[in-house]
Amino acid sequence: NAGVTQTPKFRVLKTGQSMTLLCAQDMNHEYMYWYRQDPGMGLRLIHYSVGEGTTAKGEVPDGYNVSRLKKQNFLLGLESAAPSQTSVYFCAISPGQRANYGYTFGSGTRLTVV
Amino acid sequence: GEDVEQSLFLSVREGDSSVINCTYTDSSSTYLYWYKQEPGAGLQLLTYIFSNMDMKQDQRLTVLLNKKDKHLSLRIADTQTGDSAIYFCAEIPNQAGTALIFGKGTTLSVSS
């Protein structure tokens, strides 16, 4: 999706391994979000950031850490991957909390933990 | 806590109208949204409605909002096979430190 780039697109991890997912935006938006999508569960918020240097927990933060050292990048880390973290991860951005344009989403990262 | 409810599946024939329903919990939500997700893709904003509106029409799409019942619906006229996707209803509760809350999604299947 235009403006939001997620890397990698696919990844297979072994239980206990670590990895970092990168979300990069070129729209100069303040707010960035990480969601996970699981079948029948919709999208659930993991962590979010309201600006450079800030992070906050969402609905399902356990097992994940995040950093927003630069305004354009939002990193999601898994320190010790577990099979329960097998999911599709989406990054989203918005200019504000209640933006009437909604959020702009990346194309997702499909992660499998074996 | 907040929860957005949707039926999980809807099956229609090509050319029929589709109606996807959603109920939300925060009566103070300012904006309500419909997103579309095609297989293997991210989410695209389909349309949104401001809370002081009852209806919004955009080509084949009609959004109806009943604030009293906290009910939102999306009607797709003349449904096409290309409309087959998952449709998510979403709201942003009117409180600081919150983000978009999504329903579980309605899978629309269109048969020819």
Side-chain angles (χ1 to χ4, degrees):
Chain A
N1 288 17
V4 182
T5 303
Q6 289 185 234
T7 53
K9 295 193 186 309
F10 302 94
R11 184 73 185 268
V12 178
L13 282 181
K14 293 183 179 179
T15 298
Q17 286 184 320
S18 63
M19 77 163 294
T20 300
L21 284 69
L22 171 63
C23 176
Q25 58 135 334
D26 61 6
M27 298 175 72
N28 202 36
H29 284 343
E30 290 293 336
Y31 286 57
M32 299 186 75
Y33 312 83
W34 278 108
Y35 284 87
R36 60 176 289 174
Q37 183 181 22
D38 302 293
M41 299 293 291
L43 278 81
R44 293 179 292 169
L45 182 66
I46 305 171
H47 286 280
Y48 65 100
S49 167
V50 301
E52 181 178 320
T54 75
T55 63
K57 293 180 180 180
E59 180 187 353
V60 289
D62 294 342
Y64 305 95
N65 56 75
V66 286
S67 64
R68 181 100 180 268
L69 298 179
K70 294 182 179 180
K71 184 177 182 179
Q72 64 267 32
N73 295 335
F74 195 28
L75 281 69
L76 177 70
L78 288 74
E79 290 187 347
S80 180
S84 61
Q85 294 177 303
T86 293
S87 187
V88 182
Y89 292 85
F90 286 103
C91 175
I93 65 173
S94 73
Q97 180 177 345
R98 287 183 290 278
N100 58 327
Y101 302 111
Y103 294 3
T104 301
F105 281 82
S107 57
T109 295
R110 187 173 296 274
L111 175 66
T112 302
V113 183
V114 297
Chain B
E2 297 84 12
D3 205 4
V4 178
E5 299 284 346
Q6 299 177 241
S7 54
L8 294 182
F9 299 101
L10 176 65
S11 182
V12 301
R13 297 182 71 87
E14 193 173 22
D16 289 348
S17 291
S18 306
V19 179
I20 302 172
N21 294 302
C22 167
T23 57
Y24 60 97
T25 57
D26 190 327
S27 58
S28 65
S29 291
T30 308
Y31 293 98
L32 295 144
Y33 306 86
W34 284 104
Y35 279 84
K36 177 183 180 181
Q37 184 182 33
E38 295 181 350
L43 277 73
Q44 298 174 281
L45 179 63
L46 204 55
T47 187
Y48 66 92
I49 188 167
F50 189 51
S51 59
N52 69 352
M53 299 169 66
D54 297 324
M55 184 181 83
K56 180 179 180 181
Q57 191 152 0
D58 183 3
Q59 299 182 332
R60 291 190 298 120
L61 305 178
T62 302
V63 178
L64 295 178
L65 175 60
N66 181 331
K67 283 195 72 174
K68 175 176 170 290
D69 295 336
K70 298 179 198 168
H71 184 264
L72 183 72
S73 68
L74 173 69
R75 178 177 181 269
I76 305 173
D78 186 25
T79 311
Q80 303 298 306
T81 54
D83 294 324
S84 294
I86 303 176
Y87 292 82
F88 292 94
C89 171
E91 65 167 342
I92 295 183
N94 191 23
Q95 55 182 280
T98 58
L100 265 178
I101 297 174
F102 288 87
K104 291 181 171 55
T106 299
T107 298
L108 174 64
S109 175
V110 183
S111 58
S112 56

